[in-house]
Structures are given as C-alpha cells and as structure tokens.
Amino acid sequence: MKPWLSVGAGSAWSLPRMLRVVGFLGCGLFACLIASGGEWQVGEGFRWLRVEPRGAGRPGFTAMDPAQTGVVFTNALSDERSAANRNLLSGSGVAAGDVDGDGWCDLYFCGLDSPSVLYRNRGDWKFENVTKAAGLDEARRDSTGAVFADIDGDGDLDLLVSTLGGGLSCFSTTGTGGSPMARRQAGSRR
C-alpha cells in the first residue's frame, strides 16, 4: 500500500490532499503544514509544494509555546455536559488552509464549551485571532468538525462547520488579502 504522505528526498507532498485529510481527521497543529522556501507547483484545481525536513534529529513534532505562536485555544468540556451527552466526548476538529490567500496556512479550531477560533497565520509561526474580524464570533455552539474548501467556485477557501444538533454552517469568504471576512451562506442551519 502506498503511503498517503511521504516527506523526504525525492518525495512530493500534496498540500490540498493533506488539508482535506487534516480537516477530516480533526488533528492538531502540524509543524509540517508550513514549508519553508520552494515554489508552488500548480495543477488543475490544486497546487502543491515539496517539503524538505529541516534540522537534524529525528522527524516528528515540536512543542511550541502558545505565548510565542499566539495559538492559545483550549477545547473545554464540563463534566456535567459530557455526562448529559456522551457524543460530546468525541471532541472537535480543526481546519487548516490559506483562507486569506497570503500563502500561509491559517487554522480554525472548533469549540464545545469554549468558542471556536480562527487564527490567521502571519508567518514565522505567529498567529493572530481574527475570529471577530472574520464575522465568526457567533453564539457558542457545539462545533464538532470543520473543513476549508472552495464551495462556491470563486477560487478561495470557504469554511464549513458541523455542529452537534445545530446542523452545518457554511461561511463564504467575502474579503481579500488583508481581512478574511466571512458571512453565513443562505440555506445553512443555525
């Protein structure tokens, strides 16, 4: 069986495929999502970038200080709520993608007892909470999964957020470059 991700000499890593997998799996902050250097290769409906491991030592993940990165999200869940609804124990997801078109991978974390958060990547492993500026600071909901995808075919990433008991919300990117403004798409449930 061929591995879905191969990093190293002679390998090519498909960012769109990885982002779909990350959005689907709901995994945490990946150090491999942001590559240094290199040029994007463009295909029909996707682009990819060769990733070369940095530094010496064994491959893996590096713990990064939230005070330095700006990513301070914690997905809290009270004992009372988890006892009342065991489905909440399945946790929540994260979406990773370049929502503002600046070439850096932005992050959206789903929350249960804590609000969901959109972090804009400013480069050099620095992130800024842009949830309110993006129009995503709605009432707290039980967000269980998210994915960035171009749902309206305009060439930029939109946000789909699934909730427990609240349906699917669709946020279409309306801004460009500096501010990832979003709005609720008609027909999505609250």
Side-chain angles (χ1 to χ4, degrees):
M1 184 167 129
K2 184 177 176 182
W4 64 271
L5 174 63
S6 176
V7 178
S11 69
W13 177 59
S14 169
L15 183 63
R17 182 174 184 193
M18 180 64 180
L19 294 180
R20 284 195 305 270
V21 171
V22 169
F24 176 74
L25 293 176
C27 299
L29 177 63
F30 283 96
C32 64
L33 284 177
I34 302 173
S36 67
E39 295 209 14
W40 285 100
Q41 305 299 313
V42 179
E44 189 172 331
F46 69 94
R47 64 184 181 154
W48 63 274
L49 176 68
R50 181 179 302 275
V51 175
E52 299 294 334
R54 287 192 240 169
R58 57 190 192 119
F61 301 102
T62 301
M64 301 182 79
D65 185 357
Q68 291 180 330
T69 64
V71 178
V72 293
F73 179 82
T74 300
N75 187 21
L77 180 63
S78 71
D79 290 339
E80 294 79 22
R81 290 197 67 218
S82 65
N85 188 341
R86 293 300 214 192
N87 289 323
L88 293 172
L89 292 174
S90 295
S92 293
V94 62
D98 182 12
V99 73
D100 57 4
D102 65 358
W104 293 101
C105 190
D106 307 304
L107 303 171
Y108 181 84
F109 291 92
C110 296
L112 296 171
D113 282 351
S114 46
S116 298
V117 180
L118 175 63
Y119 287 102
R120 182 175 182 205
N121 188 338
R122 297 292 191 178
D124 198 30
W125 292 103
K126 306 287 186 216
F127 292 82
E128 173 187 7
N129 184 335
V130 295
T131 309
K132 187 172 184 171
L136 298 172
D137 62 334
E138 59 187 38
R140 188 170 297 159
R141 302 167 356 138
D142 293 327
S143 298
T144 54
V147 65
F148 287 117
D150 182 10
I151 58 169
D152 55 11
D154 64 357
D156 57 21
L157 293 179
D158 306 301
L159 176 63
L160 295 165
V161 180
S162 62
T163 62
L164 184 62
L168 180 69
S169 292
C170 176
F171 299 92
S172 179
T173 305
T174 59
T176 57
S179 179
M181 300 302 291
R183 63 177 166 80
R184 183 176 302 279
Q185 190 81 357
S188 63
R189 294 177 55 192
R190 194 163 179 96

